[in-house]
Structures are given as C-alpha cells and as structure tokens.
C-alpha cells in the first residue's frame, strides 16, 4: 500500500511528513505521521516513517535522565491501559497505544512484538511483517522475530524470504526444529511445483 492509497488530504500530510523528515524537522514529522496513523492505523509506510523520525530525533539529542523517568512511567501506564483494551477486545485503540509507546521508545522490542501480534489478530499480516522487520533493525539476530517472519512469509507464500529467515535462524541456532521444518516444507513445495511445470500437455 503506497501513499497513493491515501485520501487527498491524507496524502498531503504524508508528503509533508516526508519533507519534514528530510529537513530534519523531526518533531513536525512525528506529529504528521502520528496524525495519519490515528486516522489510518494500518498504513505501513506511515508507521515505518514515524519510527524513522523518532529514532532520528533520539539520535540527534542527548538523553536527559528526568525525561527517561517520565517516558518510562508513561509507557508503563499505556501498557496497562492497552492490556485492559485487549481484554475487552478493543484492538484498534490498543494498536494506537502501542504506536504512542513507540513514539517514546522506538526500540522497545516487546512493544513492537505486541503491535505485530495485534496486527495478526486483525489479519493484517503485511502490517505484522513491518512491525517484526522493525525488530530486526534493532536486533538482527532476534530468533523469536526471525521465526515469526519465516512463519508469516511461508503462510503468505513468499517462500524466498521464508527460506532466508530460516537460514538466518540456523546460523545463530543450528538444528533449530522449526527452521529445519520450514526448509523441508519449502523444498517439498518447490519439488511439487517443478513437477507440475514439467508435465507436458497431451497432444
């Protein structure tokens, strides 16, 4: 899904966000992408650009201890609230809260994982992939994340990427049963598809 899928006023906000990010006006970019995600929470590129803007802002400024404490307390409160929302099956508000937490700490792996799980619950697998892929930006050897990615890629028949994730898992954790199963399943599917391709039509 590209920015062209936005309504005209939303596309304008998206382009303004990209422009602000390029100019290193991070606060403005964050506000614009947050506004877009509040209206269209499943737009993948807005999430990616928002996290990019927040990380860039964090990297460009020195951390202040009192801000760290304040953000930690806010994140804790948001997580408690999101747990309650999930319990009463209010998934969309819970997704918005996870995004708010990531605006305070874009490298919070548990929050990214929780966001991905909420996307899966809503059957938004492309969004879940985006959230899991953000985890790899932080920790490229995160086994749990690699397993989740390989599973979703396999389910969506993106066997090339599923194969890559499985091989990355085996580099870090040799003989991992789940990764080996993925490799065997892909090999079997490839063999079957190759067999169909070689079948010659009757004359």
């Amino acid at each position: 899904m590209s920015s062209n899928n936005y309504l005209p006023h939303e596309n304008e906000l998206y382009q303004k966000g990209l422009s602000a990010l390029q100019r290193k006006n991070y606060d403005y970019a964050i506000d614009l992408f947050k506004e877009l995600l509040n209206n269209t929470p499943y737009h993948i590129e807005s999430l990616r650009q928002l996290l990019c803007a927040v990380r860039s802002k964090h990297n460009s400024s020195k951390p202040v201890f009192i801000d760290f404490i304040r953000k930690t307390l806010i994140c804790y409160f948001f997580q408690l609230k999101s747990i309650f929302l999930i319990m009463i099956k209010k998934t969309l508000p819970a997704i918005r809260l996870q995004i708010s937490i990531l605006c305070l700490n874009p490298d919070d792996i548990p929050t990214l994982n929780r966001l991905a799980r909420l996307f899966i619950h809503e059957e938004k697998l492309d969004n879940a992939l985006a959230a899991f892929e953000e985890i790899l930006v932080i920790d490229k050897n995160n086994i749990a994340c690699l397993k989740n990615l390989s599973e979703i890629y396999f389910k969506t028949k993106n066997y090339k990427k599923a194969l890559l994730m499985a091989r990355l898992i085996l580099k870090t954790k040799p003989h991992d049963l789940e990764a080996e199963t993925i490799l065997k399943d892909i090999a079997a599917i490839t063999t079957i598809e190759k067999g169909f391709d070689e079948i010659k039509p009757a004359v």
Side-chain angles (χ1 to χ4, degrees), residues 24-86:
K24 299 184 180 181
N25 190 347
Y26 301 128
D27 287 327
Y28 187 43
I30 290 167
D31 287 342
L32 289 169
F33 291 127
K34 281 176 68 175
E35 182 180 348
L36 278 168
L37 284 167
N38 188 55
N39 297 325
T40 54
Y42 298 127
H43 197 281
I44 297 170
E45 284 308 310
S46 290
L47 176 61
R48 292 187 194 277
Q49 298 300 335
L50 173 64
L51 294 178
C52 178
V54 177
R55 285 196 185 103
S56 297
K57 178 184 176 180
H58 284 201
N59 292 335
S60 66
S61 59
K62 294 181 180 179
V64 179
F65 182 70
I66 191 67
D67 284 342
F68 172 77
I69 296 297
R70 179 182 62 83
K71 289 178 180 180
T72 300
L73 291 174
I74 293 173
C75 288
Y76 181 72
F77 172 74
F78 281 170
Q79 288 295 12
L80 288 177
K81 189 176 179 180
S82 70
I83 290 170
F84 172 73
L85 288 170
I86 293 167

Side-chain angles (χ1 to χ4, degrees), residues 51-162:
L51 294 178
C52 178
V54 177
R55 285 196 185 103
S56 297
K57 178 184 176 180
H58 284 201
N59 292 335
S60 66
S61 59
K62 294 181 180 179
V64 179
F65 182 70
I66 191 67
D67 284 342
F68 172 77
I69 296 297
R70 179 182 62 83
K71 289 178 180 180
T72 300
L73 291 174
I74 293 173
C75 288
Y76 181 72
F77 172 74
F78 281 170
Q79 288 295 12
L80 288 177
K81 189 176 179 180
S82 70
I83 290 170
F84 172 73
L85 288 170
I86 293 167
M87 288 175 63
I88 62 173
K89 298 182 180 180
K90 298 287 186 180
T91 307
L92 196 53
I95 286 173
R96 290 193 176 102
L97 271 177
Q98 303 310 308
I99 293 171
S100 294
I101 293 168
L102 291 169
C103 286
L104 297 171
N105 182 7
D107 295 335
D108 187 341
I109 290 178
T111 296
L112 283 166
N113 187 69
R114 195 173 293 110
L115 178 61
R117 294 294 176 188
L118 288 168
F119 283 141
I120 291 172
H121 182 268
E122 292 295 288
E123 299 183 353
K124 301 290 185 180
L125 294 185
D126 286 343
N127 295 74
L129 284 171
F132 282 132
E133 286 167 356
E134 288 293 328
I135 293 177
L136 292 188
V137 173
I138 305 161
D139 178 10
K140 65 180 181 179
N141 295 318
N142 190 297
I143 295 294
C145 179
L146 290 170
K147 286 185 177 183
N148 286 318
L149 284 169
S150 65
E151 181 181 347
I152 296 175
Y153 282 135
F154 185 80
K155 284 182 178 179
T156 55
K157 298 184 179 180
N158 190 338
Y159 300 129
K160 187 175 181 179
K161 286 191 174 181

